[in-house]
Amino acid sequence: MAIRRILREGDETLRKTSRPVTEIDKRLKTLLDDMADTMYAADGVGLAAPQVGVLRRVVVIDVGEGLLELINPEIVETEGSYVDVEGCLSVPGRRATVERPERCVVQAINRKGQLIEVEGTGLLARALCHELDHLDGVLYVDKIIEDVTGREDE
Ligand code: NI
């Protein structure tokens, strides 16, 4: 397990489209382990593989409900929308509001190769949409409604 370097906004890798995973091998499992380590070390709630320079469709998320490892995730259902504050480990020091679905359902495979379905509402729905955007080269800064950097929240 190791902590990897997180690419920052401005790095072209973050703007590329990631390719689907075709084989769950040792290398991929190491990537998943390292991504979780990197996310926790950075005190984040989600991390996508392109953020550590790997253009594969892999994300890890933990909004305080346990670690989710999603390989080739796809949003299959969304419902509602709401605006809330977001940040991104690739855009440190900045916070802004973004509109996201209130609820979403994602299908993916786990590290055992099993098809899984994750239903998220609120923060989890937001994290899922944010991380999946990374796989298509989209950053939340593309969707900002209002920059609230430096403002106290809650
Ligand atoms: Ni992000």
Side-chain angles (χ1 to χ4, degrees), residues 3-149:
I3 291 167
R4 300 201 186 187
R5 190 172 65 90
I6 298 175
L7 302 181
R8 301 282 179 93
E9 185 190 11
D11 192 306
E12 284 200 357
T13 302
L14 292 173
R15 292 306 190 174
K16 292 184 175 155
T17 300
S18 293
R19 296 181 308 276
V21 169
T22 52
E23 195 187 351
I24 300 172
D25 53 13
K26 194 162 174 270
R27 194 183 169 89
L28 183 77
K29 288 171 185 170
T30 301
L31 173 67
L32 284 164
D33 290 341
D34 289 355
M35 283 174 64
D37 279 356
T38 306
M39 172 182 72
Y40 290 126
D43 210 15
V45 298
L47 189 70
Q51 291 182 275
V52 292
V54 178
L55 288 169
R56 288 287 177 179
R57 302 189 81 82
V58 175
V59 309
V60 294
I61 291 174
D62 190 343
V63 296
E65 299 165 9
L67 178 64
L68 289 172
E69 297 176 327
L70 305 175
I71 300 163
N72 297 343
E74 301 272 359
I75 293 173
V76 294
E77 207 180 310
T78 63
E79 193 186 328
S81 76
Y82 77 113
V83 174
D84 206 348
V85 176
E86 259 174 57
C88 177
L89 294 176
S90 293
V91 193
R94 193 169 180 197
R95 290 164 59 78
T97 58
V98 177
E99 185 174 0
R100 298 287 187 189
E102 217 161 60
R103 175 181 162 273
C104 72
V105 179
V106 168
Q107 279 181 357
I109 52 174
N110 63 17
R111 68 162 71 203
K112 294 175 186 159
Q114 298 159 327
L115 182 68
I116 55 168
E117 199 169 86
V118 177
E119 182 183 343
T121 56
L123 179 59
L124 180 54
R126 180 165 295 275
L128 286 164
C129 293
H130 177 120
E131 298 313 328
L132 267 65
D133 270 355
H134 274 298
L135 305 181
D136 294 315
V138 175
L139 298 180
Y140 90 101
V141 294
D142 305 341
K143 301 182 169 182
I144 286 178
I145 294 172
E146 188 188 7
D147 199 303
V148 296
T149 305

